Structures are given as structure tokens and as C-alpha cells.
Amino acid sequence: MSEDHTHVQEFFGARAADWDGKFPEDGPAFATAVAEFGLRPGDRVLDAGCGTGRALAALRAAVGPAGLVVGADLTPQMLAAARRAGRTAEGALLLTDVTRLPLRDGALDAVFAAGLIAHLPDPETNLRELARVVRPGGRLALFHPIGRAALAARQGRELTPQDLRAETNLGPLLSGSGWEMVSYADEDARFLVLAVRHP
């Protein structure tokens, strides 16, 4: 997508009110991805590009009452939809650009990012920003509730070797931005990549 954040805000802003209703079957996939993420009670986790906050309940359940859950998104309408859905009970919502987070270095234990990577204007630099706010040894999950092929079919496009989320492209991208990929799953029903922050 364009580096012009207005485009992202307009795209998602226009779809925010109906977003959850459009993808009602995604809930279990989010819960499963969070379960596989390996969060622990007391962890501090950011849902980067949280949208309507569909992951917040699962993230809260994983880190427990002693943990910290923050959902960050660039689009006010998405955060408004999260509030209407009552998701502020699961975590704090922050209107911000995840490519320039207002967080100190190493403030978090983990970042969960659902559907985010395709919308990053400069993926290597932006993933480095996510690494900045995570402690060494902390974790990153790049998730989508359907796999690459299914998503491409939904969007009416062909998969190409240049696809950012292909394992051969994503591994080096993560390595160059402060992460080490530890698992890669691209299946019809989910896309989930787990990475660990370099020391």
C-alpha cells in the first residue's frame, strides 16, 4: 500500500462498521494463533494494526490480569468499532502509527500483527520499529486467518514469487529487521509466522 497513510485510513475507515460481520468465522483462527504464540501470564503484548480488536480477548486470556494488552491502529473508525464491541475491557486502544510507536525501547514482550505486513509502507524499516519496542528474546506473530493462496483468490489476484509473505522472502526480511523466524505455516485456513527478537 501507499506510504500515504490517508489511503490506508480511507480503505479501512470505509469498511470498519461492517468488518466483523464480514468475517464472522475468523474468531477461532485468532484464538488458535494466539494460543500458539506462546504468551505467558504477565506478558506485555501489542496488537499492532489491531483493527476492530478481534485478537484482544484471546491476548488478554493469554497474559491474564497481570499482563498488559494494547491494541494500536491508524484508523479511528476501526478503533471506534472495537469500542462499540466492548473490547476496551480486554486492552487499551491507542490511535497511532505502528511504524512510529510512542513506546520506549524494549517495553514489550511480544507483538501480534494480524494482516499488518501487507500494509506496511517500508516493511524492513517498519519491522525494525516493532523489534525496537520488544525486549531481546521477545516474540512476533505475523498472522492472517486464511493462507496466502486463499487470500489471493479472495482478492482476485495471482500469487507471485515476489509475494512478501512467501517463506523465501519473509525469512530474510525478518532477519534484516531484528527478528529470527522460528516457524512458518501457510495453510488454507491460516497464515502464521512466529519470530524471536535478536539479542
Side-chain angles (χ1 to χ4, degrees), residues 167-168 170-172 174-175 179-184 193-196:
E167 187 171 7
T168 54
L170 192 53
L174 287 165
S175 294
W179 301 97
E180 179 184 353
M181 186 163 64
V182 295
S183 68
Y184 181 94
V193 173
L194 302 180
V196 173

Side-chain angles (χ1 to χ4, degrees), residues 12 24 27 54-55 79 95 98 124 127 140 146 185:
F12 287 105
R54 294 183 294 169
L79 295 179
L95 178 64
V98 299
E124 185 169 347
L127 287 167
L140 170 69
I146 59 176

Side-chain angles (χ1 to χ4, degrees), residues 40-88:
R40 296 170 298 187
D43 274 354
R44 300 155 298 167
V45 60
L46 172 70
D47 185 356
C50 68
T52 60
R54 294 183 294 169
L56 294 180
L59 293 171
R60 171 56 66 198
V63 304
L68 174 70
V69 177
V70 177
D73 203 274
L74 185 66
T75 306
Q77 297 94 324
M78 282 288 194
L79 295 179
R83 289 186 193 93
R84 285 193 302 274
R87 291 175 177 144
T88 53

Side-chain angles (χ1 to χ4, degrees), residues 35 45 57 59 62 115 129 144 191:
V45 60
L59 293 171
E129 170 66 358
H144 200 283
F191 176 86

Side-chain angles (χ1 to χ4, degrees), residues 97-153:
D97 180 355
V98 299
T99 70
R100 291 188 302 275
L101 288 163
L103 299 171
R104 63 178 171 78
D105 294 358
L108 303 170
D109 298 295
V111 173
F112 184 84
L116 177 70
I117 192 165
H119 303 291
L120 295 175
D122 181 351
E124 185 169 347
T125 299
N126 304 152
L127 287 167
R128 193 173 296 120
E129 170 66 358
L130 297 181
R132 180 189 68 78
V133 299
V134 172
R135 63 170 175 78
R139 296 172 66 81
L140 170 69
L142 300 176
F143 169 71
H144 200 283
I146 59 176
R148 292 187 310 125
L151 182 61

Side-chain angles (χ1 to χ4, degrees), residues 17-41:
D18 301 323
W19 193 259
D20 287 1
K22 190 173 180 182
F23 306 109
E25 69 284 356
D26 287 351
F30 274 84
T32 299
V34 170
E36 291 182 34
F37 193 14
L39 295 170
R40 296 170 298 187

